[in-house]
Amino acid sequence: MNHPYRFQSDKFLKGVIERLPPLPRPSGLEMLNEVFKYTEGHNGGSSYNDKIPGFGVKHNWVKKSIFWELPYWHTNLIRHNLDVMHIEKNVFDNIFYTVMDCPNRSKDNLKARLDIQLYCQKPNLHLQQDMNGRVYKPKGTYCLHKKQQQEVLSWMKELSFPDGYASSISRCVKEAQCKVSGMKSHDCHVFIQRLLPTAFRPYLPRPLWEALTELSVFFRDICSTNLNAQHMELMQMNIIEIICKLERIFPPSFFDSMEHLTIHLPYEAKVGGPVQYRWMYPFERYMFYLKKKVTNKAKVEGSICEAYLIDEITNFASHYFGDDVQTIWNRVPRNDDGGLRSVDGYANNVRSFDVDQSDEISQPSRVLPTQTLDDPNILVESSYYEEIGQHELIQLDINWGNKDDEEEEEDDDGDGDGDGDGDEEEEEEEEEDEDDDEDDCYGGDS
């Protein structure tokens, strides 16, 4: 309740100080009573304007789902499953295209600037008028300039990954048109978790870069195969503060339902387990596999069924072929080094080892602590939140690419004694400069 963000009316909604406590998570029975309270006697309709009475004033229910008629539906801990795959992609699209200032895809448009003028106290981001009477949009601190965009695209064009790690992101880069198009969901998954902090580090202000880095680490941990129930509670608190940091910088139109859904991901991961068993990647991949089998677009379902039956028949019959016939069961793998392979599929030239030689084997980078194996609250382990152990976001101490970094390390205060202890006057000047930079980043009074 005493968080400083609650009293910063100039960084969020203009003139609003948040004094209300956070809303508790309603139980299934409370949700059921609320649904029946507002939807009782409403049959619904096909028209979009046929809304439940009181919509937008007393409630926001647009319909009553048929699942509420199930007697056990209100007892489910998760009545809906949020797809991390699509949330990641949509959040990445909003961030990437807004920072790169891509036309028609950026969330920072003319309507967004009008919203800033209406709801926020950021005069540096208001629409301006030139000498000829034309209205133009001032460049925000969260947007890159043309030269910086070209440098990012050139860096993306030279990216290469190990085989099987990710697809070729460079194929999506069009340097001549200065745009990126055609990135798949997994490309966005890799970029937001591994490349986003590196790509924008030299160009964005430090407060924005740190917030994006914290968001990148959040998605990396929420997609981890090792999770801890206590760490999920910590991530639940941290993601709220990360979203607030982004709200201080980006325009209100940047935040749609996808940015809001990230707040619910830690709870669903705590209750439902790792996201690998719940996201849409395997289903999307299999749908792509089925769609490739369509040869007659007039009979899509029949075409898929016919091709599927043919695959099953040929796979069954291939077990009776000789070893000289190449099938999917004995074909050479894509990454073949030319070594001899035995009948059971293992290479003959691989040296076997004994238990005494285990020291030569590389050990895993993360091991679940022994004392936590019997803890019923432990689902699995998370590397990032295991290290911090308390509610505090990551504190990054990274060089910002200054050319004189080595000289600054030798003598940070500039007084020639090399001890790094500066004068009090110099420290006050540095604090004033940092405050000015932060105000510029948030679009405050210049």
Side-chain angles (χ1 to χ4, degrees), residues 83-101:
D83 180 27
V84 179
M85 183 190 78
H86 286 99
I87 293 177
E88 254 186 344
K89 175 173 171 47
N90 293 326
V91 171
F92 168 77
D93 287 344
N94 290 348
I95 293 175
F96 184 81
Y97 293 118
T98 301
V99 173
M100 294 293 289
D101 200 14

Side-chain angles (χ1 to χ4, degrees), residues 318 320-327 330:
S318 64
Y320 296 91
F321 295 161
D323 296 337
D324 56 335
V325 179
Q326 182 177 351
T327 63
N330 61 2

Side-chain angles (χ1 to χ4, degrees), residues 21 75 155 165 224 248-249 254-255 269 298 321 327 388 435:
T75 62
W155 175 77
Y165 182 81
S224 175
R248 302 174 71 197
I249 302 173
F254 177 86
F255 300 92
F321 295 161
T327 63
I388 57 178
D435 294 339

Side-chain angles (χ1 to χ4, degrees), residues 326-339 341 345:
Q326 182 177 351
T327 63
I328 62 173
W329 307 108
N330 61 2
R331 63 185 177 187
V332 179
R334 183 175 62 172
N335 299 320
D336 184 39
D337 58 356
R341 303 184 67 85

Side-chain angles (χ1 to χ4, degrees), residues 56 101 111 196 230 259 262 268 271 321 346-347 366 378 385 430 432 441:
D101 200 14
K111 292 184 178 180
L196 187 66
Q230 296 178 353
E259 278 73 23
T262 57
E268 292 202 357
V271 177
F321 295 161
Y346 294 95
R366 293 177 292 176
I378 297 295
Y385 291 93
E430 291 178 357
E432 293 177 357
C441 174

Side-chain angles (χ1 to χ4, degrees), residues 1 6 18-25 240:
M1 291 296 294
R6 288 179 170 268
E18 187 61 52
R19 303 183 185 276
L20 297 177
L23 295 176
R25 186 179 299 276
I240 298 175

Side-chain angles (χ1 to χ4, degrees), residues 205-249:
R206 187 182 184 101
L208 176 56
W209 182 85
E210 287 184 350
L212 294 181
T213 303
E214 292 167 0
L215 183 64
S216 174
V217 174
F218 169 80
F219 276 115
R220 192 187 312 168
D221 286 334
I222 205 69
C223 295
S224 175
T225 56
N226 299 332
L227 299 177
N228 185 293
Q230 296 178 353
H231 296 161
M232 292 301 101
E233 298 177 358
L234 179 60
M235 291 172 64
Q236 180 73 62
M237 295 184 290
N238 286 346
I239 185 58
I240 298 175
E241 188 168 345
I242 293 172
I243 297 299
C244 290
K245 288 182 179 181
L246 297 178
E247 286 182 1
R248 302 174 71 197
I249 302 173

